[in-house]
């Protein structure tokens, strides 16, 4: 006990409260520790929570071991992060070791100061942590819930069990710093009465496999980051899983949009995956995940590049349907808006702030529409070469904190015109159009006369668009594209995104070779 710190605390309290007006309500140690076991973690989420701590500690090598240990199973998570001093370790082992209201480093994956304890106790009754800083000594602390329950006191042990001590010694024989976490008495996974049961031993191995699959998805961005984090399970490197199939040239990448929550950026990018007709059986199985393609559709929320929520449409009224199974939307948020996104202790759920729910829904509807189009045509659309993004005419933007719309200067036709605009007349015309968009009229008409609004190409003949297609085609050919690449690029450009068959008809009419996929 630090008597000096306790005296300071008393002085601070008495500065604004009379001593007869309060009393200390110290929590019951046994009850609170048992309550920490009920946060609802599964084994995969629990291990992931500890990996968050390793990444925050700048570790680039993390090792997870599932050891049956002759019927005394344990799990260890070891990293080469910067480690903790004895004082830091003791603070980390306290329940609620950090205030969730504290401002954190923008790359910090934690929030509540509970993850180490709540995740660990959800799976085991004995938690041992050893840590060592560069040039420091190994320090060890252990919570044994059996001892806490029996004594009903906050007894934090300074020694490890023989099993944990062996793991710690072996690790620091090879590594000069880092942290080792060991879970023993795994009663939530293997009841003590079943440690001799072969079926439970096999189940233990299945738990390891589920952890492998979970980590490969949740930390895929970190394992691909500049930090190049390597995570191993039972000495085998865990591969990454890309839910957006970004390496597949037939994946459609819709434009990135930026929204704002309390001044913090939210980056959103929609991906439309290829139809199953365009995938091998292996690709189709792998990218369907554990629960199939329908379950994977929707939003994937990443907090500091760590996956929080996978799949689901987030907005009431947007249900999962078969024709939308190709749409997956990545949402990137920072840790400064955890409150607004209702991030929970397990870091497994997130709810979009009300301030951007309309925009989230708009983006979802656009992605669902594109998914349904690809799904209905069974993937029969012109190939987009080299993972090329679609080119839209209009972009949403934020100016002085308010929503607006601007013409995309990277649209091929517009970019070409601007390059041939020495007097800036076209640039001025674009600005004039942007600043005079009749937004109130459009909103009113969309709400009252939606059925009467024209759709792209409605009432137009193909010949009316041939001149525009020809200009685009000549531009792409001049830039070195093949006939097929030029046609595919045009089909990826608004307005032809909505009707790529018009590009095919143009090519057929002009005798241009193309292959429709």
């Amino acid at each position: 006990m630090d008597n000096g710190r306790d005296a300071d605390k008393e002085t601070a309290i008495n500065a604004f409260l009379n001593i007869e007006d309060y009393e200390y309500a110290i929590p019951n140690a046994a009850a609170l520790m048992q309550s920490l076991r009920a946060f609802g973690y599964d084994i995969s989420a629990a291990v992931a929570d500890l990996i968050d701590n390793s990444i925050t500690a700048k570790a680039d090598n993390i090792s997870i071991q599932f050891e049956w240990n002759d019927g005394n199973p344990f799990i260890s998570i070891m990293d080469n992060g910067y480690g903790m001093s004895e004082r830091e370790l003791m603070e980390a082992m306290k329940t609620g070791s950090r205030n969730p209201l504290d401002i954190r480093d923008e790359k910090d994956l934690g929030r509540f100061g509970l993850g180490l304890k709540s995740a660990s106790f959800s799976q085991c009754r004995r938690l041992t942590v050893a840590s060592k800083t560069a040039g420091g000594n190994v320090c060890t602390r252990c919570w044994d819930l059996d001892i806490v329950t029996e004594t009903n006191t906050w007894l934090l042990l300074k020694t490890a069990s023989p099993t944990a001590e062996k793991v710690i010694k072996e690790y620091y024989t090879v590594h000069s710093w880092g942290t080792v976490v060991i879970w023993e008495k795994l009663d939530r996974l293997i009841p003590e009465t079943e440690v001799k049961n072969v079926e439970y031993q096999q189940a233990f191995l299945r738990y390891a496999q589920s952890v492998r699959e979970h980590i490969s998805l949740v930390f895929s961005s970190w394992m691909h980051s500049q930090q190049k984090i390597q995570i191993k399970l039972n000495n085998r490197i865990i591969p990454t899983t890309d839910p957006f199939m970004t390496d597949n040239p037939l994946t459609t990448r819709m434009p990135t949009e930026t929204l704002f929550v309390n001044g913090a950026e939210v980056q959103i990018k929609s991906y439309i995956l290829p139809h199953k007709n365009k995938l091998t059986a292996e690709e189709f199985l792998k990218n369907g995940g554990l629960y199939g393609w329908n379950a994977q559709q929707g939003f994937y929320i990443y907090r500091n590049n760590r996956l929080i929520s996978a799949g689901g449409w987030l907005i009431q009224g947007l249900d999962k349907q078969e024709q939308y199974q190709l749409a997956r939307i990545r949402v990137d948020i920072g840790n400064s808006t955890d409150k607004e996104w209702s991030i929970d202790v397990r870091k497994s759920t997130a709810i979009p702030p009300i301030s951007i729910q309309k925009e989230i829904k708009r983006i979802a509807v656009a992605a669902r529409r594109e998914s349904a189009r690809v799904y209905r045509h069974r993937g029969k659309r012109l190939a987009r070469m080299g993972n090329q993004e679609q080119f839209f005419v209009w972009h949403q933007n934020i100016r002085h904190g308010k929503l607006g719309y601007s013409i995309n200067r990277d649209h091929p036709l517009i970019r070409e015109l601007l390059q041939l605009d020495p007097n800036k007349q076209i640039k001025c015309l674009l600005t004039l159009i942007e600043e005079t968009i009749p937004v109130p009229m459009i909103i009113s008409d969309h709400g009252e006369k939606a059925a009467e609004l024209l759709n792209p190409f409605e009432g137009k003949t193909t010949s009316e668009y041939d001149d525009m297609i020809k200009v685009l085609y000549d531009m792409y050919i001049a830039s070195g594209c093949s006939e097929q690449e030029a046609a595919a690029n045009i089909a990826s450009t608004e307005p032809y995104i909505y009707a790529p068959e018009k590009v095919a008809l143009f090519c057929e009419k002009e005798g241009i070779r193309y292959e429709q996929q």
Side-chain angles (χ1 to χ4, degrees):
M1 181 179 294
D2 191 331
N3 293 327
R5 293 177 64 185
D6 288 344
D8 291 343
K9 185 184 297 183
E10 288 284 350
T11 301
I13 293 172
N14 293 333
F16 62 92
L17 280 177
N18 294 320
I19 193 167
E20 64 270 13
D21 291 336
Y22 69 89
E23 61 184 2
Y24 290 104
I26 300 173
N28 180 290
L32 181 56
M33 282 297 204
Q34 292 298 329
S35 297
L36 287 176
R37 310 197 76 191
F39 272 86
Y41 286 92
D42 61 21
I43 179 63
S44 299
V47 172
D49 215 329
L50 267 63
I51 292 175
D52 288 341
N53 295 338
S54 297
I55 293 175
T56 300
K58 310 299 183 189
D60 57 16
N61 277 282
I62 303 167
S63 178
I64 306 156
Q65 293 292 125
F66 276 64
E67 298 285 353
W68 185 248
N69 193 34
D70 295 326
N72 294 299
F74 68 87
I75 298 171
S76 62
I77 299 96
M78 302 167 280
D79 71 58
N80 67 341
Y82 47 64
M84 292 176 279
S85 67
E86 191 163 19
R87 166 62 67 179
E88 289 170 332
L89 175 57
M90 191 186 76
E91 289 294 326
M93 293 294 274
K94 290 181 179 180
T95 56
S97 56
R98 288 195 63 179
N99 190 330
L101 300 180
D102 289 345
I103 297 175
R104 292 180 177 247
D105 184 276
E106 62 180 12
K107 294 183 179 180
D108 193 334
L109 297 183
R111 170 56 57 187
F112 296 94
L114 284 172
L116 170 63
K117 287 74 66 175
S118 59
S120 299
F121 295 146
S122 73
Q123 308 301 315
C124 72
R125 298 201 316 276
R126 181 189 287 152
L127 162 66
T128 304
V129 181
S131 197
K132 183 178 186 294
T133 59
N137 297 317
V138 177
C139 49
T140 302
R141 291 294 185 273
C142 172
W143 282 117
D144 190 315
L145 294 191
D146 293 338
I147 293 176
V148 173
T149 300
E150 185 175 345
T151 63
N152 197 23
T153 53
W154 300 95
L155 291 179
L156 181 60
L157 306 180
K158 295 183 179 181
T159 58
S161 70
T163 296
E165 189 62 44
K166 180 181 178 182
V167 174
I168 294 167
K169 183 178 181 180
E170 289 177 350
Y171 186 80
Y172 292 112
T173 297
V174 178
H175 299 85
S176 300
W177 59 80
T179 299
V180 178
V181 178
I182 302 155
W183 294 345
E184 298 174 273
K185 300 182 181 180
L186 300 168
D187 60 322
R188 294 296 176 90
L189 300 179
I190 313 292
E192 289 182 354
T193 56
E194 303 293 347
V195 293
K196 303 300 182 183
N197 191 324
V198 175
E199 291 185 3
Y200 276 86
Q201 184 174 356
Q202 293 172 343
F204 190 64
L205 297 176
R206 289 196 295 272
Y207 285 130
Q209 181 60 31
S210 69
V211 168
R212 179 187 299 276
E213 292 174 356
H214 185 73
I215 289 173
S216 74
L217 177 63
V218 170
F219 295 101
S220 59
S221 293
W222 276 101
M223 290 188 276
H224 272 304
S225 70
Q226 291 182 347
Q227 197 171 339
K228 294 181 181 178
I229 291 174
Q230 183 181 89
I231 305 177
K232 293 182 178 180
L233 193 150
N234 289 355
N235 301 316
R236 296 178 60 185
I237 295 175
I238 297 177
T240 59
T241 297
D242 176 9
F244 310 108
M245 296 183 66
T246 53
D247 289 336
N248 191 306
L250 296 179
T251 295
T252 299
R253 300 172 177 226
M254 301 179 76
T256 300
E257 298 207 35
T258 302
L259 306 180
F260 291 87
V261 174
N262 285 351
E265 285 191 1
V266 178
Q267 296 285 335
I268 305 178
K269 190 172 188 65
S270 301
Y271 297 84
I272 311 302
L273 275 56
H275 191 277
K276 67 179 182 180
N277 287 353
K278 301 298 178 184
L279 303 175
T280 65
E282 181 181 358
E283 287 175 325
F284 182 76
L285 181 64
K286 176 183 177 182
N287 290 284
L290 291 175
Y291 306 106
W293 280 72
N294 276 351
Q296 309 304 316
Q297 64 184 267
F299 287 95
Y300 288 66
I301 300 179
Y302 288 78
R303 174 182 178 269
N304 289 356
N305 269 336
R306 192 262 206 212
L307 182 61
I308 296 290
S309 174
W313 288 105
L314 302 180
I315 302 297
Q316 188 174 4
L318 298 181
D319 300 324
K320 292 180 179 179
Q321 297 183 32
E322 189 172 3
Q323 66 268 31
Y324 305 138
Q325 65 178 249
L326 305 180
R328 300 182 184 179
I329 305 171
R330 175 164 180 151
V331 180
D332 279 285
I333 66 175
N335 62 9
S336 63
T337 55
D338 285 352
K339 180 180 178 182
E340 288 78 5
W341 283 88
S342 301
I343 302 296
D344 68 347
V345 172
R346 294 173 298 150
K347 297 188 287 291
S348 61
T349 60
I351 302 172
I354 293 175
S355 62
I356 63 168
Q357 285 188 8
K358 287 184 179 180
E359 296 308 314
I360 289 283
K361 183 174 183 179
R362 173 184 60 77
I363 293 168
V365 168
R368 284 157 65 98
R369 183 169 57 240
E370 182 70 7
S371 172
R373 184 176 294 112
V374 176
Y375 186 83
R376 283 196 304 269
H377 289 86
R378 302 176 66 83
K380 291 183 179 179
R381 54 192 302 124
L382 295 177
R384 296 179 177 88
M385 302 299 178
N387 292 333
Q388 171 185 331
E389 290 191 7
Q390 293 181 331
F391 288 102
F392 289 82
V393 175
W394 290 95
H395 277 176
Q396 181 191 85
N397 59 36
I398 302 291
R399 188 170 68 196
H400 300 306
K402 294 185 178 181
L403 184 65
Y405 300 90
S406 60
I407 296 172
N408 179 16
R409 267 63 170 176
D410 287 327
H411 187 287
L413 273 178
I414 297 168
R415 185 174 62 236
E416 182 79 2
L417 288 172
L418 289 174
Q419 290 174 351
L420 303 174
D421 185 27
N423 296 321
K424 309 298 183 184
Q425 292 176 313
I426 296 173
K427 181 180 179 181
C428 291
L429 176 61
L430 296 181
T431 301
L432 175 65
I433 294 170
E434 291 170 338
E435 297 302 321
T436 57
I437 304 171
V439 174
M441 185 188 304
I442 293 171
I443 293 174
S444 175
D445 288 344
H446 190 272
E448 299 174 7
K449 306 174 185 178
E452 301 174 24
L453 296 179
L454 288 170
N455 293 315
F457 295 104
E458 188 174 347
K460 296 284 187 178
T461 64
T462 300
S463 60
E464 292 181 79
Y465 285 84
D466 282 355
D467 288 344
M468 192 193 312
I469 296 176
K470 184 65 165 63
V471 170
L472 285 168
Y473 179 80
D474 290 343
M475 285 168 46
Y476 282 121
I477 292 295
S479 68
C481 292
S482 66
E483 292 180 346
Q484 172 63 20
E485 289 172 335
N489 289 339
I490 297 170
S492 298
T493 303
E494 198 174 29
Y496 301 105
I497 291 168
Y498 310 114
E501 67 277 4
K502 294 188 179 298
V503 180
L505 289 172
F506 169 82
C507 292
E508 184 177 356
K509 178 181 175 182
E510 297 293 321
I512 298 169
R513 182 180 64 83
Y514 74 96
E515 295 177 6
Q516 196 165 18
Q517 302 197 7

